[in-house]
Amino acid sequence: MPRLQRYSYADVLSDLDGIDDWLQRLGLVAKQDRIHFAIEVLRRAEENFRQSGGRQPEVIGNNDDFIFGVCEALEIRDIYRAFNNEPKERIAPILDRALSGPHRPADENEQNADGRNIGFELAFGADLRLRGANVELEEPDLRLSIDGHTYLLACKRPRRAESIRACIRDAVRQLRTSVVDEANQQASGIIAISVGRILNPGTHYFTAHLEVLGDRVLELLEANKNHGRRAARDVPAICAVLFHIATPGEVEGILTRMSYVVMYDAGVPSAAFDHLADHIAPMYEV
């Protein structure tokens, strides 16, 4: 399920108007965090664009700062638009963690990756909500409601391909204790894996066709299908495993944020998966 998003610098900056006021209302003091670093890169890119008479600007500062700064600003834009009216007690603790981490993805390590790990959870929830889905920030990570059926998502962002299996196991542990709601009604579980860090550790951007990016995501999913099947056997309420990526790319010479989602039924066909696929697939059609 591919998706290609393209915006002008000015449009993204306009959408981010008021973000500092929002952070202050949440009790999160504006600082030199990675969010403001990305927005500053975007502002400098817009200034350069205007000064150049509307031509694509040259790289702003360090090439990685420019490429990943602009694309992270797009992600921040989605989070802000989707959750700016969220209750403080729900969004503030999560967003506070998401503000942490190094400015550049390439500088991540096991000790400082929490910000972008939580950022995946927020960004994916925001993406679904902006496409019209009923999504809430609830345990284990996200709660998706479709026509009266509840889907609980456990979101993971492994650092390397070899870590996917462990991440699936962690997601199973989360979902095992969450798939029965307060009314004792069975919910369905979804394991959501970001492979963005695996396919792009913050050192390059994607120049091939979007479908080729999808092939790379599919390769990782196929290599880990057995782990997904085992998860569905261990917790039968798990109805789906999805792999997701969002990465900088280039289309016709223009810097672009590419995203791709692949989802399968973990080897256990079910009405819950069919219902989910029927509603999610149209949201990601190009």
Side-chain angles (χ1 to χ4, degrees):
M1 291 180 276
R3 186 67 181 178
L4 183 64
Q5 297 174 297
R6 295 171 66 175
Y7 305 96
S8 72
Y9 301 120
D11 286 343
V12 180
L13 286 169
S14 177
D15 286 340
L16 286 167
D17 281 347
I19 192 170
D20 282 334
D21 290 339
W22 179 51
L23 293 175
Q24 289 177 4
R25 290 198 305 273
L26 296 177
L28 305 177
V29 179
K31 51 189 176 181
Q32 294 300 313
D33 51 57
R34 67 185 189 88
I35 287 179
H36 287 88
F37 176 80
I39 294 173
E40 179 58 26
V41 170
L42 190 68
R43 287 197 179 101
R44 292 171 61 193
E46 168 59 14
E47 290 174 4
N48 188 302
F49 183 74
R50 286 188 284 103
Q51 292 172 2
S52 68
R55 296 189 302 274
Q56 177 74 4
E58 297 179 358
V59 169
I60 307 300
N62 178 281
N63 187 61
D64 288 345
D65 289 350
F66 172 66
I67 292 170
F68 289 93
V70 170
C71 288
E72 288 207 334
L74 284 168
E75 183 175 284
I76 293 160
R77 162 193 177 270
D78 285 354
I79 292 170
Y80 176 50
R81 290 177 63 211
F83 297 118
N84 66 82
N85 291 318
E86 200 75 7
K88 177 179 178 179
E89 62 275 11
R90 184 177 297 170
I91 184 66
I94 303 173
L95 190 59
D96 188 32
R97 290 174 62 189
L99 290 169
S100 67
H103 292 167
R104 300 173 64 242
D107 294 331
E108 272 191 349
N109 55 47
E110 292 184 2
Q111 286 70 45
N112 62 19
D114 184 62
R116 284 186 174 86
N117 292 346
I118 296 299
F120 165 57
E121 171 187 325
L122 279 173
F124 188 48
D127 188 44
L128 288 170
R129 182 177 281 192
L130 292 173
R131 297 181 195 280
N134 182 1
V135 175
E136 300 295 338
L137 300 173
E138 296 184 15
E139 293 295 335
D141 292 318
L142 299 172
R143 177 184 292 263
L144 171 65
S145 300
I146 300 176
D147 294 341
H149 193 93
T150 298
Y151 296 88
L152 303 180
L153 284 77
C155 301
K156 302 296 175 184
R157 181 176 172 264
R159 294 187 67 236
R160 56 182 68 89
E162 294 78 11
S163 302
I164 292 175
R165 180 180 181 181
C167 284
I168 290 175
R169 286 201 303 264
D170 286 344
V172 170
R173 282 193 287 269
Q174 280 185 275
L175 291 169
R176 181 179 283 115
T177 59
S178 303
V179 289
V180 177
D181 66 20
E182 295 178 1
N184 202 36
Q185 296 295 314
Q186 189 77 21
S188 298
I190 301 173
I191 297 172
I193 303 291
S194 166
V195 297
R197 176 68 175 163
I198 295 170
L199 294 181
N200 190 353
T203 54
H204 53 273
Y205 63 104
F206 200 77
T207 58
H209 192 276
L210 183 59
E211 296 293 346
V212 179
L213 178 63
D215 290 341
R216 298 290 305 281
V217 179
L218 274 170
E219 288 172 5
L220 285 170
L221 185 146
E222 290 290 340
N224 289 276
K225 270 195 170 181
N226 286 337
H227 306 317
R229 293 189 181 99
R230 188 173 298 112
R233 289 198 300 269
D234 291 346
V235 181
I238 293 176
C239 74
V241 177
L242 69 84
F243 278 32
H244 172 279
I245 188 172
T247 184
E250 180 182 299
V251 177
E252 298 176 357
I254 298 175
L255 177 62
T256 305
R257 180 178 184 267
M258 293 179 170
S259 65
Y260 208 100
V261 177
V262 179
M263 185 171 67
Y264 82 113
D265 63 8
V268 184
S270 66
F273 176 84
D274 292 341
H275 186 61
L276 175 69
D278 287 345
H279 285 77
I280 294 298
M283 295 181 187
Y284 283 87
E285 290 177 354
V286 177

